[in-house]
Amino acid sequence: MNKSLAVMMALATLVLGAPAHADGLVDNVDGITLDEAGRAQRFTGLLVGRDGKVVQLLREGDPRPARLDWRTDMKGKVLIPGFVDAHGHVMELGFRALELDLSDTRTLAEAKARIAAYVAANPDRKWIIGGGWNQEKWGHGRFPTAADLDEVVSDRPVWLARADGHASWANSAAMRAAGISAKSVTPPGGRIEKSGAEPNGVFVDAAQELVAKFVPMALPKERMAAFYKAQEALLSAGITAAADMGTSLDDWLTYRRAGDAGALRVRVISYGAGVEETIRIGGTGPTPWLYDGHLRLVGAKIYTDGALGSRGAWLKAPYADAPDQVGAGFLSDSQLSNLMSRAAMDGYQLAVHAIGDRANAQVLASIAELAPTYGGDRRWRIEHAQIIDPADLPKLADHGTIASMQPVHQTSDRTMAEARLGSARLAGAYAWATMLKNGVPLAFGTDFPVERPDPFAGWAAGFTRTDADGEPYGGWQPQEVLSREQAWHAYTMGGAYAGFAEAVFGRLAPGQYADFIIVDRDPTVATASALRATRVEQTWVGGVKVWQSR
């Protein structure tokens, strides 16, 4: 070997062994991410480029660059990718924080006391708005009524959404303001709860609009305040990206205002509230990524049925605890296919809400009908996919349909699902493991504010199928339990894939945004109860620290 060749080889070795150029280094970490195969990968340093993307993962002993614009020593703390919440409602989360919140009330009496206190503290509000109630937690075995509310406040309208958003509770003043009477006609896809012939104050699914259209609209400044509240809640929970299911034009303009002001920190994957609203926002197709990967309209959200809690989920057979009801299908088969086709024509992704087995069968049939026409990488999504006839489960894999699910629904709805369906119809309920075995992509979310934006609770539920108290022992329908890594994948890479963002974020790898969180324990070895107690200490998006615990 001549001298010049030896020199060239030595130089090549130095170049290959040196870290790539980076502007910043997050060093001295106990870093954990998933590789492309979903296996845990450890590192001790994270090199970040000027564009906010990962340049290189460094392991112990790897050389660090001598020249950097900045360096942060994490003193051995645990660093993991930020969570990608595949299903939530950003603005609703913010408004819930600003309005009357009944989500933690355990009895009707407690809810009434909370309402009375809120009214006393807000004497000038013309309408009392809020939500979060769940009659299943109250143990009354019935919906609340206008009479219950009238006992607390009768001098102004009150309008309170159920926790799942599929029913709302009005007092008599609200019904008078909306002109509700015994002559009011229930719209398709809805139900007016009645005492005899008279509406009793609860409006289910599409019937909510009878009152909701009379509720004063939020002002732009109120919308901005709600967004900033939601953003703070998400970042503090370790959620660096979220799919916003049901973005209105006003919501979109709120996100744009935040982006224009340089204040959009969390990444929002937007799905318009129905096909028409999606087209109003995006025109003839999905938008590009805006604000350095912080906002994109990717698709449309459509509803086909309601929720189990309000008996609005559309079932193939009657409810076990209400033999005269099967729920409600919001759209005929042709209406659903036409809506999905209209969105698909312009390249929008379809995210279709379906909870009951009849609703899920309807969506799967529409996908099978449309897939031959709209080829390519469509990534059809079913949101919730909670109750599926076992005979229909294999159909999810036929056209790459994504099951966008929320593990905390399985734990919080378990006893209700048993009551609503009976034990003989639970084989296809929250069937995560079967879906994965069939090759169905899983994307996990929290469905905030229906549930708390707490991905650690969902992650724990995913690999245990037990609640915070460890119940039921051994897990509910334990044959559907996931591994710890599979559940983590669904909350990170799965959520990114579901929103066509897997090349942008979802794990820590060269070329992906440096979206990560610093936590107080190693979640890959923590017990389920310890995982639920994990505390987020810092949240970084695009290599910038955007939140820190106090």
Side-chain angles (χ1 to χ4, degrees), residues 47-65:
L47 286 173
V48 182
R50 187 173 288 109
D51 58 1
K53 295 180 179 179
V54 176
V55 173
Q56 188 177 350
L57 301 182
L58 300 175
R59 291 172 177 80
E60 189 171 358
D62 286 345
R64 269 56 173 167

Side-chain angles (χ1 to χ4, degrees), residues 27-218:
D27 206 3
N28 192 16
V29 297
D30 182 5
I32 318 159
T33 188
L34 292 172
D35 63 17
E36 289 183 335
R39 297 168 302 204
Q41 178 183 14
R42 291 188 175 263
F43 56 93
T44 59
L46 187 70
L47 286 173
V48 182
R50 187 173 288 109
D51 58 1
K53 295 180 179 179
V54 176
V55 173
Q56 188 177 350
L57 301 182
L58 300 175
R59 291 172 177 80
E60 189 171 358
D62 286 345
R64 269 56 173 167
R67 298 178 61 184
L68 290 164
D69 291 341
W70 57 270
R71 178 181 180 274
T72 298
D73 185 344
M74 288 295 179
K75 304 185 186 306
K77 289 185 176 294
V78 176
L79 182 157
I80 61 174
F83 290 97
V84 182
D85 195 305
H87 185 112
H89 308 277
V90 175
M91 294 303 298
E92 286 89 335
L93 177 64
F95 279 119
R96 185 66 53 81
L98 296 174
E99 298 171 345
L100 173 58
D101 185 3
L102 301 177
S103 58
D104 61 349
T105 57
R106 293 162 296 180
T107 65
L108 177 59
E110 185 179 348
K112 289 165 73 172
R114 179 79 57 83
I115 295 165
Y118 184 86
V119 171
N122 296 274
D124 298 327
R125 290 191 183 271
K126 294 181 179 179
W127 279 69
I128 302 300
I129 307 298
W133 59 272
N134 183 349
Q135 83 281 1
E136 296 296 324
K137 290 183 178 180
W138 295 345
H140 278 249
R142 64 169 177 86
F143 277 127
T145 65
D148 292 320
L149 270 180
D150 291 344
E151 293 175 4
V152 183
V153 53
S154 59
D155 63 335
R156 72 192 88 172
V158 180
W159 182 240
L160 305 171
R162 192 180 184 275
D164 58 15
H166 287 275
S168 290
W169 177 23
N171 69 348
S172 296
M175 290 195 290
R176 284 195 301 271
I180 301 297
S181 70
K183 297 180 181 179
S184 296
V185 178
T186 300
R191 186 174 75 249
I192 301 174
E193 290 287 317
K194 295 184 176 182
S195 297
E198 295 293 329
N200 71 5
V202 169
F203 298 79
V204 178
D205 290 318
Q208 295 175 98
E209 186 59 22
L210 296 174
V211 179
K213 62 186 178 183
F214 291 92
V215 178
M217 295 285 289

Side-chain angles (χ1 to χ4, degrees), residues 261-283:
L264 185 57
R265 305 297 187 215
V266 70
R267 302 190 192 278
V268 179
I269 310 169
S270 173
Y271 292 80
V275 174
E276 290 304 318
E277 193 77 345
T278 301
I279 294 171
R280 287 179 67 198
I281 295 169

Side-chain angles (χ1 to χ4, degrees), residues 9 40 115 126 149 172 193 199 213 257 278 314 327 331 346 376 387 413 452 468 496 498 507 518 546:
M9 291 182 66
I115 295 165
K126 294 181 179 179
L149 270 180
S172 296
E193 290 287 317
K213 62 186 178 183
R257 289 189 194 100
T278 301
W314 194 18
L331 302 165
D346 284 331
I387 312 299
D413 292 357
R452 290 171 53 238
R507 66 189 183 100
I518 303 298
V546 295

